[in-house]
Amino acid sequence: MYKYLIKLLAASKNFYGMKYIFIIFLLVASFYCKKDNPVSSQTISLIQNKWTLVSEEYYYKDLPSYNVKYVGISADYYFFKTNDSLLMHQAGMPGVPNIPFTFSTPYKIISNNSILLPGQNGGNDTYFTIQKLTTDSLIFTNQITTTFTNNGNTIGTYYGIRTVILAK
């Protein structure tokens, strides 16, 4: 676009008048061009807390037998620390593989409605989409995938959504 404006200016007999119009255009365009969406200090201060896990739900539209809802107990929490590390602890639901567990990972608040957990050891990044954020409630979702294999052959891949409800 700027290339065409410069050609127009060069071809114009009233170059100096067009120069001022061009400068005004640049000023207006720079005013309307949005920069990165900064994260508000309120969002940061609300997220960076220790939250009790109320529930965690996995929903697969095409695989309903794998839909599950875990109801947290008082010992379960997500702690978004001020040093950009997230500590997750889940102690409930005895008999479920990998529970209890404690997990620590870096995180980054990338917008007022999105949190990034960078992939670890070659893993994929995880993006939490914030659905609700108040002084006493944090609800976020993220995409999930389940793949079934048999002897190394993929039998099926299913996509779903995970919803986490936290409270103070």
Side-chain angles (χ1 to χ4, degrees):
M1 179 172 172
Y2 292 138
K3 185 185 342 178
Y4 297 112
L5 286 173
I6 292 170
K7 285 182 181 178
L8 178 66
L9 289 174
S12 172
K13 294 188 191 264
N14 188 1
F15 179 73
Y16 293 105
M18 290 296 287
K19 181 168 97 174
Y20 292 114
I21 292 172
F22 182 70
I23 290 171
I24 291 170
F25 170 79
L26 286 178
L27 290 172
V28 170
S30 66
F31 177 78
Y32 284 104
C33 289
K34 295 191 180 211
K35 299 195 180 208
D36 291 338
N37 184 9
V39 179
S40 74
S41 59
Q42 180 183 13
T43 298
I44 294 168
S45 67
L46 286 172
I47 290 173
Q48 290 181 334
N49 282 287
K50 188 173 182 179
W51 297 88
T52 301
L53 177 62
V54 174
S55 67
E56 183 173 352
E57 185 173 2
Y58 293 82
Y59 173 76
Y60 297 90
K61 179 182 176 187
D62 297 326
L63 191 63
S65 62
Y66 273 71
N67 294 345
V68 65
K69 182 174 183 177
Y70 169 75
V71 177
I73 63 171
S74 61
D76 297 341
Y77 63 85
Y78 279 55
F79 188 4
F80 290 91
K81 297 181 176 184
T82 57
N83 67 353
D84 296 334
S85 69
L86 168 61
L87 181 63
M88 294 180 275
H89 179 75
Q90 210 164 322
M93 225 165 154
V96 174
N98 303 320
I99 290 185
F101 78 87
T102 300
F103 179 72
S104 182
T105 186
Y107 76 92
K108 182 177 181 179
I109 303 169
I110 56 176
S111 73
N112 288 324
N113 64 356
S114 190
I115 301 170
L116 165 68
L117 275 59
Q120 301 292 307
N121 302 319
N124 295 327
D125 293 344
T126 300
Y127 292 89
F128 292 159
T129 301
I130 299 169
Q131 304 297 329
K132 179 180 178 183
L133 177 60
T134 65
T135 56
D136 56 0
S137 179
L138 171 57
I139 301 172
F140 62 81
T141 58
N142 66 285
Q143 300 297 313
I144 53 176
T145 305
T146 296
T147 301
F148 294 100
T149 60
N150 185 7
N151 294 324
N153 297 316
T154 299
I155 296 170
T157 300
Y158 300 91
Y159 303 95
I161 192 158
R162 172 178 167 246
T163 302
V164 176
I165 300 176
L166 305 172
K168 283 195 213 171

